[in-house]
Amino acid sequence: MVDIKKIISTVVSFSLCMCLAAETFRVGKMHTVEISQDNNLEASAKIGINEAIAIFIPKERDFIEGLEIKMDIPDSVAEWMDSVACSVYDKVKPIPSSSQIDYSATREYVSTLPGRLSWVLQVPLISNNSLKANKYITKMDTVPDLSQNLIFVRLQPVMKGIPEETMKAKVGISVKPILQNKGMLDLTLEAENKLLPCSVFIDDKPVQFSDKNIKIMLDTGVHNISVISESYRNEVRTIHIDQAKTTPLSVEMKSIAPTLIILAPESTHVTLDGEKFSSFGTEFPISEGEHKIKFSIGEYEIVRTINVIKGRTYTANFEVDLQITEE
C-alpha cells in the first residue's frame, strides 16, 4: 500500500511540476495574512486541505530577503505521506480576499508535504540572498513575481482514496520575514547654498551619487564615512549600522574659508587688527594671512598674532586664572 501511494504521488507531483502556464482553480476557503519589515513578528493561520493562504508583503521591503513558512502537520496528514501538495503561485487573479474562492495563477513551486509533523519552506524574495536548505528546511530555487506584493500558497490533495480524517485536517501555518543582516544608511549633505561637487567614501570605497541625499545598504556594524571636496572642508564620521534599520546621518558641509572664534570675559577689551571686537563666542569668517588680536583688562594686556590659512577654524581664548600652590 505504501509503495503504491508513493508511486501515485510521484506521478501526480511530476505532472504538477510540468504545469507552467496559468491555472484556473477553486479553493474551499481563502485565508489572508500580512507581514511587515519593521519587526520580525509571525503571522499565522490554520488552513485545510484544498484551501489557500495569501501572504501580503510590504511594498517597501529593502531589508527582507525571504519568507519563512513553517507548517505544523497533523498526524493524519503526516501518516499519509505525499498525499497533500503545497504549491506556491504568483500572477494571481483576482487579488485574493476571504470572499473570493475562484482564481487564476501561475504555479512557481510544488512539493508534497513530508511524512513528519513539521516542515519549513523558505521563499526567496531577492536573487542575491543568503537562504540555505538543509534536512529541516526546503528552499525554493526561484524568486516569484512580486509585482502584486503577495505570495499565494495552496494546499491540495494529490492522491485518491485519502481518508476523511486527513481531508478534514487543519495545517497550522506561521509566516515571518527573513531579514538581511544589513541596514540602511540615509546620508544627507547639507550646504548653505547649492551643494557643490563632493566625493563620498564609505570604508575607503567611493560611493556614486547624483543628489545631496544618499541611501545605501550596508552590512551591520561600524562604518567610516568620509566626504571630500575642493569646495568644502573634509568631513569624517563614524556610524553604527543596525540590522533592518535605517540610520540617518546629516553632514553639514562647511566652507573652506577660514573662521575665528574669540572667547574672553565680558569686561575684556578686545581689538582685532586694531578694530574693537565684541562678538565673543561666535564663529565668523576671516581672511587668509596674518592678524593681530589684543586683549586688555585694566592696565594688563596681551597681544597675539595668528597666521590664518584656508580651511581652518581658529579659537582665541583669553583666560584669567589664579593659581595657589602649597609646599
Side-chain angles (χ1 to χ4, degrees):
M1 177 64 179
V2 174
D3 292 340
I4 295 176
K5 284 172 57 180
K6 286 186 176 181
I7 291 172
I8 296 174
S9 176
T10 301
V11 172
V12 174
S13 296
F14 178 77
S15 300
L16 292 174
C17 289
M18 293 298 292
C19 185
L20 301 178
E23 303 175 32
T24 299
F25 55 86
R26 171 173 290 184
V27 298
K29 187 176 181 180
M30 187 73 236
H31 304 261
T32 61
V33 296
E34 294 184 14
I35 67 165
S36 169
Q37 72 171 353
D38 296 331
N39 53 59
N40 206 22
L41 298 179
E42 293 183 346
S44 61
K46 286 190 174 182
I47 74 173
I49 311 305
N50 203 33
E51 295 182 0
I53 181 171
I55 305 165
F56 288 91
I57 59 179
K59 183 178 180 181
E60 301 295 331
R61 48 180 180 268
D62 299 315
F63 305 130
I64 303 178
E65 65 175 348
L67 295 182
E68 180 178 284
I69 304 173
K70 180 181 178 183
M71 299 191 185
D72 295 324
I73 304 172
D75 291 339
S76 59
V77 177
E79 289 173 359
W80 280 75
M81 183 176 63
D82 297 329
S83 63
V84 176
C86 170
S87 302
V88 178
Y89 293 85
D90 57 18
K91 303 181 179 69
V92 185
K93 296 179 181 180
I95 296 297
S97 69
S98 58
S99 61
Q100 180 72 30
I101 60 174
D102 293 309
Y103 294 95
S104 172
T106 301
R107 191 194 309 261
E108 294 293 341
Y109 173 84
V110 63
S111 175
T112 53
L113 298 186
R116 57 177 188 264
L117 300 180
S118 180
W119 182 51
V120 175
L121 173 64
Q122 291 188 342
V123 181
L125 300 188
I126 58 175
S127 56
N128 184 21
N129 61 76
S130 63
L131 308 186
K132 293 182 179 179
N134 56 43
K135 63 180 180 179
Y136 303 107
I137 297 174
T138 301
K139 175 195 171 184
M140 278 183 56
D141 292 330
T142 59
V143 178
D145 186 320
L146 302 175
S147 58
Q148 294 177 301
N149 300 313
L150 70 87
I151 301 295
F152 189 102
V153 180
R154 176 190 179 198
L155 297 182
Q156 64 183 125
V158 290
M159 182 187 299
K160 294 183 178 180
I162 298 176
E164 184 178 357
E165 181 184 10
T166 302
M167 291 298 296
K168 290 184 176 180
K170 297 288 185 180
V171 177
I173 293 183
S174 58
V175 184
K176 68 177 182 179
I178 303 173
L179 303 178
Q180 300 184 68
N181 192 29
K182 294 178 180 291
M184 179 78 74
L185 170 64
D186 186 358
L187 173 62
T188 302
L189 304 182
E190 302 285 355
E192 185 174 349
N193 298 308
K194 181 180 178 180
L195 183 67
L196 299 176
C198 299
S199 297
V200 177
F201 295 83
I202 299 179
D203 299 327
D204 297 325
K205 296 181 180 179
V207 176
Q208 299 297 324
F209 71 102
S210 57
D211 198 0
K212 67 177 183 179
N213 181 257
I214 307 166
K215 290 186 178 180
I216 185 170
M217 294 288 286
L218 298 174
D219 293 333
T220 58
V222 177
H223 297 271
N224 296 315
I225 315 299
S226 301
V227 185
I228 311 299
S229 174
E230 294 182 355
S231 303
Y232 304 100
R233 302 186 189 191
N234 296 340
E235 302 289 344
V236 178
R237 302 289 189 274
T238 299
I239 60 165
H240 189 279
I241 296 294
D242 295 317
Q243 184 185 28
K245 292 184 178 180
T246 297
T247 301
L249 176 63
S250 179
V251 177
E252 181 183 358
M253 303 306 297
K254 297 181 179 179
S255 169
I256 56 176
T259 58
L260 175 65
I261 303 173
I262 297 178
L263 303 174
E266 292 184 3
S267 58
T268 308
H269 179 76
V270 179
T271 61
L272 175 61
D273 297 328
E275 299 290 334
K276 184 178 180 181
F277 183 89
S278 59
S279 300
F280 301 143
T282 301
E283 184 176 357
F284 62 95
I286 190 171
S287 61
E288 295 181 68
E290 187 174 276
H291 296 271
K292 184 178 293 185
I293 308 174
K294 184 171 74 172
F295 298 89
S296 303
I297 293 183
E299 295 182 356
Y300 176 77
E301 68 178 37
I302 185 171
V303 178
R304 290 290 185 268
T305 299
I306 58 173
N307 189 22
V308 174
I309 60 176
K310 184 165 54 177
R312 302 288 181 86
T313 294
Y314 299 86
T315 301
N317 188 7
F318 177 69
E319 294 181 342
V320 178
D321 191 16
L322 174 63
Q323 294 185 353
I324 300 176
T325 58
E326 179 179 353
E327 297 183 358

